[in-house]
Amino acid sequence: MANIWKKKDTAGQTERLPRHIAIIMDGNGRWATQRGLPRTAGHKAGAETFRRIATCCKDLGVEYLTVYAFSTENWKRSAEEVGAIMGLLKRYLLEAVDSMERDHIRLRFFGDMTPIAPELRALAHETDEISAHLPAGDFQVNVCLNYGGRDEILRAVRCFAAECAAGERKPEELDEALFSSCLDSRGIPDPELIIRPSGELRLSNFLLWQCAYSEFYFTDTLWPDFDETELKRAIEAYRQRDRRFGGVKK
Ligand code: IPE
Ligand code: IPE
Ligand code: MG
């Protein structure tokens, strides 16, 4: 695909292409209900959209794509729906084990994996091992599974507190960089752009620490209908934003 999105400016920088895009993949249930289908059919369609959008981000030259697949709150749904989502994730991971080396896609998980079924955890472990052997510059997908921004922060705090109690760290050492290195997203730049389809105007516990200066893009399109054109529209909107980070425009 001709990469008009990655044109370089005079300083040789990629012109306002986000290095890291994060997406709240929302609206699967409504998409299915509108068609008289079970909610699980929406998740299946959403999984296809995820595959397409991940490829599209990679082709555009985005370095990191983080997707919200299952939140710490999504356990409230029926066992059937949760099972269907986990089944789709399993299918994606089985595919990934065979294709990520060929396609140069690294995979990482954000979230607490302890309550995840052993079979899925083993597959995630396998994709972690493959990712570790792929070059650091390869496109990376972060899948948020049993992820909550508050839970991520609490786990980081617990870990740091335990190191202090063990005498390995001192509380006054803690700064933003050290705290960031305790999070699931350690080593990854904060997302410049967060996209939420489906018309909801909230974060639903997504990347609470990392979103401090993210630009937000909301669209009414339901996730299964989200496509390359929508993605480019979101990036174009991001490019028009005036990012000041608390400073004053020169
Ligand atoms: C997002 O779609 C997928 C997950 C939360 C796992 P939803 O299932 O929330 O779809 P809506 O919001 O009910 O339409
Ligand atoms: C956020 O969507 C979680 C995911 C997309 C995985 P939800 O559908 O769970 O969020 P709420 O309930 O509308 O806030
Ligand atoms: Mg929803």
Side-chain angles (χ1 to χ4, degrees):
M1 178 165 51
N3 201 339
I4 50 153
W5 292 83
K6 218 181 169 182
K7 68 174 185 246
K8 307 275 175 154
D9 66 15
T10 44
Q13 298 292 310
T14 301
E15 195 190 301
R16 305 275 330 242
L17 180 74
R19 288 183 69 191
H20 182 178
I21 295 180
I23 307 182
I24 301 172
M25 304 190 290
D26 196 19
N28 296 346
R30 278 164 282 173
W31 183 91
T33 305
Q34 283 171 8
R35 285 162 179 74
L37 298 169
R39 292 178 57 85
T40 48
H43 296 309
K44 194 160 178 257
E48 286 309 316
T49 302
F50 161 64
R51 285 175 175 83
R52 282 197 305 274
I53 294 299
T55 305
C56 193
C57 283
K58 180 176 180 267
D59 291 346
L60 289 173
V62 172
E63 293 170 53
Y64 302 93
L65 170 68
T66 300
V67 290
Y68 207 2
F70 192 87
S71 77
T72 45
E73 288 72 34
N74 287 148
W75 298 104
K76 293 173 188 163
R77 300 183 180 205
S78 72
E80 188 202 356
E81 184 167 345
V82 171
I85 295 167
M86 297 300 166
L88 287 162
L89 277 162
K90 184 180 156 195
R91 191 187 295 174
Y92 175 71
L93 290 189
L94 281 169
E95 244 174 65
V97 164
D98 288 337
S99 64
M100 52 199 283
E101 226 157 347
R102 181 196 68 211
D103 297 342
H104 287 269
I105 297 182
R106 292 182 304 154
L107 265 185
R108 191 156 133 184
F109 287 86
F110 292 180
D112 176 7
M113 298 294 277
T114 36
I116 301 299
E119 209 186 351
L120 197 53
R121 271 206 335 249
L123 273 171
H125 183 69
E126 220 178 309
T127 57
D128 278 346
E129 303 244 290
I130 300 170
S131 301
H133 294 111
L134 288 171
D138 278 357
F139 176 63
Q140 180 168 318
V141 176
N142 307 306
V143 178
C144 298
L145 175 55
N146 187 32
Y147 174 87
R150 287 185 173 186
D151 180 67
E152 179 189 32
I153 290 169
L154 282 180
R155 285 185 285 110
V157 170
R158 267 186 225 126
C159 179
F160 182 75
E163 287 178 5
C164 289
E168 293 158 14
R169 293 262 186 211
K170 290 192 170 61
E172 55 275 20
E173 277 178 62
L174 190 63
D175 58 13
E176 290 190 10
L178 181 54
F179 190 68
S180 294
S181 76
C182 300
L183 295 167
D184 297 338
S185 57
R186 68 187 70 89
I188 301 170
D190 290 341
E192 292 94 338
L193 174 62
I194 296 182
I195 300 172
R196 182 165 193 160
S198 93
E200 309 298 355
L201 306 178
R202 55 176 170 263
L203 273 175
S204 302
N205 208 3
F206 190 46
L207 303 179
L208 298 184
W209 170 271
Q210 298 86 346
C211 75
Y213 268 101
S214 300
E215 297 295 331
F216 292 92
Y217 182 83
F218 296 101
T219 169
D220 287 339
T221 303
L222 302 171
W223 176 246
D225 291 328
F226 193 94
D227 59 10
E228 189 175 333
T229 308
E230 284 274 3
L231 178 69
K232 289 183 172 173
R233 211 175 277 150
I235 294 174
E236 192 49 49
Y238 163 80
R239 288 177 148 173
Q240 304 303 320
R241 307 277 173 90
D242 180 17
R243 306 188 79 204
R244 293 184 293 277
F245 301 98
V248 176
K249 200 178 176 190
K250 295 210 176 68

